[in-house]
Amino acid sequence: MTVSREFQVFAKPVGAVCNMNCRYCYYLEKEHLYPDRKSFIMPDDVLEKYIVQHIEASTEQVINFSWHGGEPTMAGPDFFQKVVDIQRRHKPVGRFIVNGMQTNGTLLDDAWCRFLSDEKFLVGISIDGPDGLHNMYRVGKDDSPSFERVLRGYELLQKYNVVTEILCVVHAGNVHDPLKVYRFFKQLEAKYITFLPLVEEIPGSDGKVTESTVPAADFGNFMRTVFDEWVERDIGKIKVQLFEEAARTAFKQEHTLCIFKETCGGVPVIERNGDFYSCDHFVDGDHRLGNIKDTPLVDLLESDAQKAFGKAKRDTLPQFCMECEVKDMCNGECPKNRFIKAPDGEYGLNYLCTGYKKFFNHCRPFVNAVAAAWKNQNLQTQKSAGINEASKKKTGRNDPCPCGSGKKYKNCCM
């Protein structure tokens, strides 16, 4: 069996174990699923089985591994040296392996960053803005601020030339300071930035959210403000993931980010014991589909249950979304955030709908301009090709122009 689409596994080498206690973290509570703290690191046999199965399931020239947590650096550099050694042993000839890691950055030191640089890891580091904004929610186990430790980790990554992306959670505390946040990242010379809106539904509250949750409309305004500065000053210098996803629609390309795809299910989780879950936001008993020690990864990815999980995103989209002018940019975003009612009363509208509509409608003129420029460039390329073909065929001056304009060659491409 082969995988019918691209996939990205979030591998959790230490599960939910973390050295921090970020107040909005949705994964810390998953520790109760695996209470044995004596052996919280993925065992060697599970690690090798996972790497082998991941390579076998991958159909692309570049095989991507993504290491998440909890905090994956708690596994230690020796664990990840083991990772790359196993990967080298099993890498098919003529193909490439790329490792990515998402970290809070507080445990990074010179040895870590030298390793990450030598092995060409791509690293995502969580920073929510300058110190006052970052420290609102990103704290240690003793409730201590983490900003200085995170900044030190980021600076070490830069020192060793590790390709680094900043992941910024946009929450109620920093959403009103978009330029303060964005310009701080520019001061850090960030080249890749992802803004992730915080949404926390209060269980059993009929759509109510926590105080730290970003107000939907404010998130839209945040992204519009950052976008305007980016368009004016930073195109070609900084890649902002949300802007990249919006621009993909100009080229009729499929989204790369799962939350904007029409269907999802391509980003499952492998926990430290080999358990397979449908999605990082659905690590629970209902969405545990098996274990790679018993069922190969490719079979779990292609299982009816996983496909049904992915298709449900599209099939449960409210009619209000189906008629939306920016549907192709959003596709209802992540199913975990679909817990409010649409204006017509239908349940299942995304909490962030107002914000995404604000942003996507704001950037549409830019995206349309990009699409028009791209189309014009293609026409010019085709026209040039027509000229070259005309030269080869020695088109007569009174013959129809080979570019297809309908004019005589002498009045067109000649």
Side-chain angles (χ1 to χ4, degrees):
M1 182 186 294
T2 58
V3 176
S4 58
R5 60 177 176 175
E6 292 183 8
F7 66 91
Q8 177 188 12
V9 175
F10 280 8
K12 309 274 189 173
V14 298
V17 175
C18 187
N19 65 312
M20 288 181 59
N21 192 33
C22 299
R23 296 183 180 121
Y24 53 55
C25 182
Y26 61 88
Y27 210 82
L28 287 176
E29 66 179 30
K30 307 302 178 184
E31 277 198 72
H32 77 272
L33 295 172
Y34 306 99
D36 182 8
R37 293 295 299 272
K38 294 180 181 179
S39 56
F40 67 85
I41 298 176
M42 183 178 284
D44 290 356
D45 62 327
V46 176
L47 176 64
E48 182 151 17
K49 191 175 290 288
Y50 164 60
I51 290 173
V52 169
Q53 292 183 13
H54 186 115
I55 291 172
E56 291 175 345
S58 299
T59 58
E60 304 296 315
Q61 181 75 8
V62 177
I63 305 168
N64 290 290
F65 285 83
S66 297
W67 305 96
H68 285 246
E71 175 48 44
T73 59
M74 291 191 71
D78 290 346
F79 175 88
F80 282 96
Q81 182 62 59
K82 199 180 310 176
V83 166
V84 296
D85 289 345
I86 295 171
Q87 289 172 340
R88 288 192 182 101
R89 289 204 304 270
H90 296 284
K91 183 182 76 68
V93 176
R95 296 175 73 186
F96 303 91
I97 290 177
V98 175
N99 286 289
M101 176 190 290
Q102 181 62 41
T103 177
N104 60 42
T106 60
L107 299 178
L108 296 177
D109 56 18
D110 284 277
W112 252 119
C113 292
R114 192 179 299 112
F115 167 80
L116 295 171
S117 178
D118 290 345
E119 299 300 338
K120 296 179 172 58
F121 270 61
L122 310 177
V123 175
I125 187 168
S126 299
I127 310 176
D128 289 354
D131 53 359
L133 300 178
H134 174 91
N135 287 329
M136 284 183 176
Y137 298 106
R138 300 197 64 80
V139 296
K141 293 292 187 185
D142 58 356
D143 220 29
S144 60
S146 66
F147 178 79
E148 294 298 332
R149 288 176 289 155
V150 174
L151 189 60
R152 179 178 177 275
Y154 177 82
E155 290 171 346
L156 282 170
L157 290 169
Q158 302 315 293
K159 173 184 174 181
Y160 287 92
N161 298 311
V162 177
V163 177
T164 306
E165 177 180 28
I166 289 177
L167 189 150
C168 172
V169 174
V170 183
H171 48 70
N174 63 6
V175 71
H176 299 297
D177 293 294
L179 292 182
K180 184 176 181 180
V181 171
Y182 181 58
R183 289 172 180 171
F184 172 70
F185 294 154
K186 290 203 288 184
Q187 290 174 17
L188 295 180
E189 299 182 353
K191 293 182 174 62
Y192 306 95
I193 304 172
T194 288
F195 291 106
L196 180 67
L198 176 63
V199 179
E200 296 176 319
E201 181 189 12
I202 299 174
S205 67
D206 194 24
K208 293 181 181 179
V209 296
T210 63
E211 291 183 359
S212 54
T213 291
V214 63
D218 290 344
F219 175 68
N221 291 332
F222 180 101
M223 295 310 307
R224 293 198 324 182
T225 302
V226 173
F227 178 81
D228 288 345
E229 170 120 344
W230 175 82
V231 166
E232 183 178 347
R233 303 181 182 182
D234 301 318
I235 290 178
K237 301 176 184 177
I238 299 174
K239 289 184 179 293
V240 179
Q241 188 179 55
L242 183 56
F243 305 164
E244 297 279 313
E245 290 296 322
R248 294 184 72 82
T249 60
F251 307 103
K252 307 298 182 185
Q253 294 175 329
E254 184 183 4
H255 288 291
T256 58
L257 194 59
C258 65
I259 61 173
F260 296 130
K261 288 177 178 285
E262 189 175 28
T263 60
C264 62
V267 189
V269 162
I270 296 292
E271 257 288 350
R272 66 187 191 225
N273 71 335
D275 282 347
F276 177 103
Y277 294 90
S278 293
C279 170
D280 195 43
H281 291 289
F282 293 87
V283 175
D284 53 46
D286 292 338
H287 295 92
R288 180 192 175 278
L289 304 188
N291 188 293
I292 60 169
K293 292 184 289 187
D294 307 313
T295 307
L297 176 63
V298 64
D299 291 342
L300 292 165
L301 288 164
E302 289 295 301
S303 66
D304 290 342
Q306 187 66 3
K307 288 182 176 179
F309 174 84
K311 290 177 181 178
K313 176 183 177 180
R314 176 196 61 203
D315 297 344
T316 59
L317 203 61
Q319 188 62 32
F320 182 75
C321 295
M322 299 297 293
E323 299 169 357
C324 179
E325 68 275 13
V326 294
K327 175 185 174 295
D328 61 334
M329 290 180 163
C330 175
N331 285 309
E333 210 243 6
C334 183
K336 85 172 183 69
N337 295 331
R338 294 184 186 174
F339 54 79
I340 64 173
K341 291 182 179 179
D344 61 6
E346 185 179 3
Y347 178 79
L349 183 66
N350 196 295
Y351 165 82
L352 293 166
C353 174
T354 302
Y356 278 123
K357 287 187 79 169
K358 271 178 174 278
F359 168 70
F360 286 132
N361 277 314
H362 182 74
C363 74
R364 279 178 78 193
F366 172 82
V367 172
N368 291 340
V370 170
W374 178 63
K375 183 177 181 181
N376 183 60
Q377 183 178 3
N378 280 349
L379 289 174
Q380 293 299 321
T381 302
Q382 292 169 13
K383 200 169 187 178
S384 297
I387 294 172
N388 294 334
E389 192 63 28
S391 298
K392 292 178 184 177
K393 294 182 178 179
K394 297 182 179 180
T395 304
R397 58 188 288 113
N398 290 310
D399 291 338
C401 185
C403 79
S405 68
K407 297 178 182 179
K408 290 184 179 181
Y409 180 45
K410 65 182 180 182
N411 295 324
C412 192
C413 290
M414 183 177 177

Coordinates of all heavy atoms in Angstrom, one line a residue, residues 79-132:
F79 N 19.7 11.4 22.1 CA 18.6 10.8 21.4 C 18.5 11.2 20.0 O 18.3 10.4 19.1 CB 17.3 11.2 22.2 CG 16.0 10.7 21.5 CD1 15.5 9.5 21.8 CD2 15.4 11.5 20.6 CE1 14.3 9.0 21.2 CE2 14.2 11.1 20.0 CZ 13.7 9.8 20.3
F80 N 18.7 12.5 19.7 CA 18.5 12.9 18.3 C 19.7 12.5 17.5 O 19.6 12.4 16.2 CB 18.3 14.4 18.3 CG 16.9 14.8 18.6 CD1 16.5 15.1 19.9 CD2 15.9 14.7 17.6 CE1 15.2 15.4 20.2 CE2 14.5 14.9 17.9 CZ 14.2 15.3 19.2
Q81 N 20.9 12.3 18.1 CA 22.0 11.7 17.3 C 21.6 10.3 16.9 O 21.9 9.9 15.8 CB 23.3 11.7 18.2 CG 24.5 11.1 17.5 CD 24.9 12.0 16.3 OE1 25.2 13.1 16.5 NE2 24.9 11.4 15.1
K82 N 20.9 9.6 17.8 CA 20.4 8.3 17.4 C 19.4 8.4 16.3 O 19.4 7.5 15.4 CB 19.7 7.7 18.7 CG 19.5 6.2 18.6 CD 18.8 5.7 19.9 CE 19.5 6.3 21.2 NZ 18.7 5.9 22.4
V83 N 18.6 9.4 16.3 CA 17.6 9.6 15.2 C 18.3 9.7 13.9 O 18.0 9.0 12.9 CB 16.8 10.9 15.5 CG1 16.0 11.4 14.2 CG2 15.8 10.7 16.6
V84 N 19.3 10.6 13.8 CA 20.0 10.8 12.5 C 20.8 9.6 12.1 O 20.9 9.3 10.9 CB 20.8 12.1 12.5 CG1 19.9 13.3 12.6 CG2 21.9 12.1 13.5
D85 N 21.3 8.9 13.0 CA 22.1 7.6 12.7 C 21.1 6.6 12.1 O 21.5 5.9 11.1 CB 22.7 7.1 14.0 CG 23.9 7.9 14.4 OD1 24.4 8.8 13.7 OD2 24.3 7.7 15.6
I86 N 20.0 6.4 12.7 CA 19.0 5.5 12.1 C 18.5 5.9 10.8 O 18.4 5.1 9.8 CB 17.8 5.3 13.1 CG1 18.2 4.7 14.4 CG2 16.7 4.5 12.5 CD1 17.1 4.7 15.5
Q87 N 18.3 7.2 10.6 CA 17.8 7.7 9.3 C 18.9 7.4 8.2 O 18.5 7.1 7.1 CB 17.6 9.2 9.4 CG 16.3 9.5 10.2 CD 16.1 11.0 10.5 OE1 17.1 11.8 10.4 NE2 14.9 11.5 10.8
R88 N 20.1 7.6 8.6 CA 21.2 7.4 7.6 C 21.3 5.9 7.2 O 21.5 5.6 6.0 CB 22.6 7.8 8.1 CG 22.7 9.3 8.2 CD 24.2 9.7 8.5 NE 24.4 11.1 8.7 CZ 24.5 11.8 9.8 NH1 24.4 11.1 11.0 NH2 24.6 13.1 9.8
R89 N 21.0 5.0 8.1 CA 21.1 3.6 7.8 C 20.0 3.2 6.8 O 20.1 2.3 6.0 CB 21.0 2.8 9.1 CG 22.2 2.8 10.0 CD 22.3 1.6 10.8 NE 21.1 1.4 11.6 CZ 20.9 1.9 12.9 NH1 21.9 2.6 13.4 NH2 19.8 1.6 13.5
H90 N 18.8 3.9 6.9 CA 17.7 3.4 6.2 C 17.3 4.4 5.0 O 16.3 4.1 4.3 CB 16.5 3.3 7.1 CG 16.6 2.2 8.2 ND1 16.5 0.9 7.9 CD2 17.0 2.3 9.5 CE1 16.7 0.2 9.0 NE2 17.0 1.0 10.0
K91 N 18.0 5.4 4.8 CA 17.7 6.4 3.8 C 17.9 5.7 2.4 O 18.9 5.2 2.1 CB 18.6 7.6 3.9 CG 18.2 8.7 2.8 CD 19.2 9.9 2.9 CE 20.5 9.6 2.3 NZ 20.4 9.4 0.8
P92 N 16.8 5.8 1.6 CA 17.0 5.3 0.2 C 18.0 6.1 -0.6 O 18.1 7.3 -0.4 CB 15.6 5.4 -0.4 CG 14.7 5.5 0.8 CD 15.5 6.3 1.8
V93 N 18.6 5.4 -1.5 CA 19.6 6.1 -2.4 C 18.9 7.1 -3.3 O 17.8 6.9 -3.8 CB 20.3 5.0 -3.3 CG1 21.3 5.7 -4.3 CG2 21.1 4.0 -2.5
G94 N 19.5 8.3 -3.3 CA 19.0 9.3 -4.2 C 17.9 10.2 -3.6 O 17.3 11.0 -4.2
R95 N 17.6 9.9 -2.3 CA 16.6 10.7 -1.6 C 17.2 11.5 -0.4 O 18.3 11.2 -0.1 CB 15.4 9.8 -1.2 CG 14.7 9.2 -2.4 CD 13.6 8.2 -1.9 NE 12.5 8.9 -1.3 CZ 11.4 8.3 -0.8 NH1 11.4 7.0 -0.6 NH2 10.4 9.0 -0.3
F96 N 16.4 12.4 0.1 CA 17.0 13.3 1.1 C 16.1 13.3 2.4 O 14.8 13.1 2.2 CB 17.1 14.7 0.6 CG 18.0 14.8 -0.6 CD1 17.4 14.8 -1.9 CD2 19.4 15.0 -0.5 CE1 18.2 14.9 -3.0 CE2 20.1 15.1 -1.6 CZ 19.6 15.0 -2.9
I97 N 16.6 13.5 3.5 CA 15.9 13.5 4.7 C 16.1 14.9 5.4 O 17.2 15.4 5.5 CB 16.3 12.4 5.7 CG1 15.8 11.0 5.2 CG2 15.7 12.6 7.1 CD1 16.2 9.8 6.0
V98 N 15.0 15.5 5.8 CA 15.1 16.8 6.5 C 14.3 16.7 7.8 O 13.2 16.1 7.9 CB 14.4 17.9 5.7 CG1 14.4 19.2 6.5 CG2 15.2 18.1 4.4
N99 N 15.0 17.1 8.9 CA 14.4 17.1 10.2 C 13.9 18.5 10.7 O 14.7 19.5 10.5 CB 15.4 16.5 11.3 CG 15.5 15.0 11.1 OD1 14.6 14.3 11.5 ND2 16.7 14.6 10.6
G100 N 12.7 18.6 11.2 CA 12.3 19.8 11.8 C 12.0 19.6 13.3 O 11.6 18.5 13.7
M101 N 12.2 20.6 14.1 CA 11.9 20.5 15.5 C 11.2 21.8 16.0 O 11.6 22.9 15.6 CB 13.2 20.3 16.3 CG 13.0 20.3 17.8 SD 14.6 20.3 18.7 CE 15.2 18.7 18.4
Q102 N 10.2 21.6 16.8 CA 9.5 22.7 17.5 C 9.9 22.8 18.9 O 9.7 21.8 19.7 CB 8.0 22.6 17.3 CG 7.2 23.8 17.9 CD 7.5 25.1 17.3 OE1 7.7 25.2 16.1 NE2 7.7 26.2 18.1
T103 N 10.4 23.9 19.4 CA 11.0 24.0 20.8 C 10.6 25.3 21.5 O 10.4 26.3 20.8 CB 12.5 23.8 20.8 OG1 13.0 23.9 22.1 CG2 13.2 24.8 19.9
N104 N 10.6 25.3 22.8 CA 10.5 26.5 23.5 C 11.8 27.2 23.7 O 11.9 28.4 24.1 CB 9.8 26.3 24.9 CG 10.6 25.4 25.8 OD1 11.9 25.5 25.9 ND2 9.9 24.5 26.5
G105 N 12.9 26.6 23.3 CA 14.2 27.2 23.2 C 15.0 27.4 24.5 O 16.1 27.7 24.5
T106 N 14.3 27.1 25.7 CA 15.0 27.4 27.0 C 16.1 26.4 27.3 O 16.9 26.7 28.2 CB 13.9 27.3 28.1 OG1 13.3 26.0 28.1 CG2 12.8 28.4 27.8
L107 N 16.1 25.2 26.7 CA 17.2 24.2 27.0 C 18.3 24.2 26.1 O 19.3 23.4 26.2 CB 16.6 22.8 27.1 CG 15.5 22.7 28.2 CD1 14.9 21.2 28.2 CD2 16.0 23.0 29.6
L108 N 18.3 25.1 25.0 CA 19.3 25.1 24.0 C 20.6 25.7 24.6 O 20.6 26.6 25.3 CB 18.9 25.9 22.8 CG 17.6 25.4 22.1 CD1 17.3 26.4 20.9 CD2 17.9 24.0 21.5
D109 N 21.7 25.0 24.2 CA 23.0 25.5 24.6 C 23.9 25.4 23.3 O 23.5 25.0 22.2 CB 23.6 24.8 25.8 CG 23.7 23.3 25.6 OD1 23.6 22.8 24.4 OD2 23.8 22.6 26.6
D110 N 25.2 25.6 23.5 CA 26.1 25.6 22.3 C 26.2 24.2 21.7 O 26.2 24.0 20.5 CB 27.5 26.0 22.7 CG 27.6 27.5 22.9 OD1 27.8 28.2 21.9 OD2 27.5 28.0 24.0
A111 N 26.2 23.1 22.6 CA 26.3 21.8 22.1 C 25.0 21.4 21.3 O 25.1 20.8 20.2 CB 26.4 20.8 23.3
W112 N 23.9 21.8 21.8 CA 22.6 21.5 21.1 C 22.6 22.2 19.7 O 22.3 21.6 18.7 CB 21.4 22.1 21.9 CG 20.6 21.0 22.5 CD1 20.3 20.9 23.9 CD2 19.8 20.0 21.9 NE1 19.5 19.8 24.1 CE2 19.1 19.3 22.9 CE3 19.6 19.7 20.5 CZ2 18.3 18.2 22.6 CZ3 18.8 18.6 20.2 CH2 18.1 17.9 21.2
C113 N 23.0 23.5 19.7 CA 22.9 24.3 18.5 C 23.9 23.9 17.5 O 23.7 23.9 16.2 CB 22.9 25.8 18.8 SG 21.5 26.4 19.7
R114 N 25.1 23.4 17.9 CA 26.1 22.9 17.0 C 25.6 21.6 16.4 O 25.8 21.5 15.1 CB 27.4 22.6 17.8 CG 28.6 22.3 16.9 CD 29.9 22.1 17.8 NE 30.2 23.2 18.6 CZ 30.1 23.3 19.9 NH1 29.7 22.2 20.6 NH2 30.5 24.3 20.6
F115 N 25.0 20.8 17.1 CA 24.4 19.6 16.6 C 23.3 19.9 15.5 O 23.3 19.4 14.4 CB 23.8 18.7 17.7 CG 22.9 17.6 17.2 CD1 23.4 16.4 16.7 CD2 21.5 17.7 17.2 CE1 22.6 15.4 16.2 CE2 20.7 16.7 16.7 CZ 21.2 15.6 16.2
L116 N 22.4 20.8 15.9 CA 21.3 21.2 15.0 C 21.8 21.8 13.7 O 21.2 21.5 12.6 CB 20.3 22.2 15.7 CG 19.6 21.6 16.9 CD1 18.9 22.8 17.7 CD2 18.6 20.6 16.5
S117 N 22.9 22.5 13.8 CA 23.5 23.1 12.6 C 24.2 22.1 11.8 O 24.0 22.0 10.6 CB 24.5 24.2 13.1 OG 25.2 24.7 11.9
D118 N 24.9 21.2 12.4 CA 25.7 20.2 11.7 C 24.7 19.2 10.9 O 25.0 18.8 9.8 CB 26.5 19.3 12.6 CG 27.7 20.1 13.2 OD1 28.0 21.2 12.6 OD2 28.3 19.7 14.2
E119 N 23.6 19.0 11.6 CA 22.6 18.0 11.0 C 21.5 18.7 10.2 O 20.6 18.1 9.7 CB 22.0 17.2 12.1 CG 23.0 16.3 12.8 CD 23.7 15.3 11.9 OE1 23.2 15.0 10.8 OE2 24.8 14.9 12.3
K120 N 21.7 20.1 10.0 CA 20.8 20.9 9.2 C 19.3 20.7 9.6 O 18.4 20.6 8.7 CB 21.0 20.5 7.7 CG 22.4 20.9 7.2 CD 22.6 20.5 5.8 CE 23.9 21.0 5.2 NZ 25.1 20.6 6.0
F121 N 19.0 20.8 10.9 CA 17.7 20.8 11.4 C 17.0 22.1 11.1 O 17.7 23.2 11.1 CB 17.6 20.6 12.9 CG 17.5 19.1 13.3 CD1 18.5 18.2 13.0 CD2 16.5 18.7 14.1 CE1 18.5 16.9 13.4 CE2 16.4 17.3 14.5 CZ 17.4 16.5 14.2
L122 N 15.7 22.1 10.8 CA 14.9 23.3 10.7 C 14.2 23.5 12.1 O 13.6 22.5 12.5 CB 13.9 23.2 9.6 CG 14.4 22.8 8.2 CD1 13.3 22.7 7.2 CD2 15.5 23.8 7.7
V123 N 14.4 24.6 12.7 CA 13.9 24.8 14.1 C 12.8 25.8 14.2 O 13.0 27.0 13.7 CB 15.0 25.1 15.0 CG1 14.5 25.3 16.4 CG2 16.0 23.9 15.1
G124 N 11.7 25.5 14.8 CA 10.7 26.5 15.1 C 10.8 26.8 16.6 O 11.0 25.9 17.4
I125 N 10.8 28.1 17.0 CA 10.9 28.5 18.3 C 9.8 29.4 18.7 O 9.4 30.3 18.0 CB 12.3 29.2 18.6 CG1 12.5 29.5 20.1 CG2 12.4 30.4 17.8 CD1 13.9 29.9 20.4
S126 N 9.2 29.2 19.9 CA 8.0 29.9 20.3 C 8.3 31.2 21.0 O 9.0 31.1 22.1 CB 7.1 29.0 21.2 OG 6.7 27.8 20.6
I127 N 8.0 32.3 20.4 CA 8.2 33.6 21.0 C 6.9 34.4 20.8 O 6.5 34.5 19.6 CB 9.4 34.4 20.4 CG1 10.6 33.5 20.5 CG2 9.6 35.6 21.2 CD1 11.8 34.1 19.8
D128 N 6.3 35.0 21.8 CA 5.0 35.7 21.7 C 5.2 37.2 21.6 O 4.2 38.0 21.8 CB 4.1 35.4 22.8 CG 3.6 33.9 22.7 OD1 3.9 33.3 21.7 OD2 2.9 33.5 23.6
G129 N 6.4 37.7 21.3 CA 6.7 39.1 21.3 C 7.8 39.5 22.3 O 8.4 38.7 22.8
P130 N 8.0 40.8 22.5 CA 8.9 41.3 23.5 C 8.5 40.8 24.9 O 7.4 40.3 25.1 CB 8.9 42.8 23.4 CG 7.6 43.1 22.7 CD 7.3 42.0 21.8
D131 N 9.4 41.0 25.9 CA 9.3 40.3 27.2 C 8.0 40.4 27.8 O 7.4 39.4 28.3 CB 10.5 40.8 28.1 CG 10.5 42.3 28.3 OD1 9.7 43.0 27.6 OD2 11.4 42.8 29.0
G132 N 7.4 41.6 28.0 CA 6.2 41.8 28.7 C 5.0 41.0 28.1 O 4.2 40.5 28.8

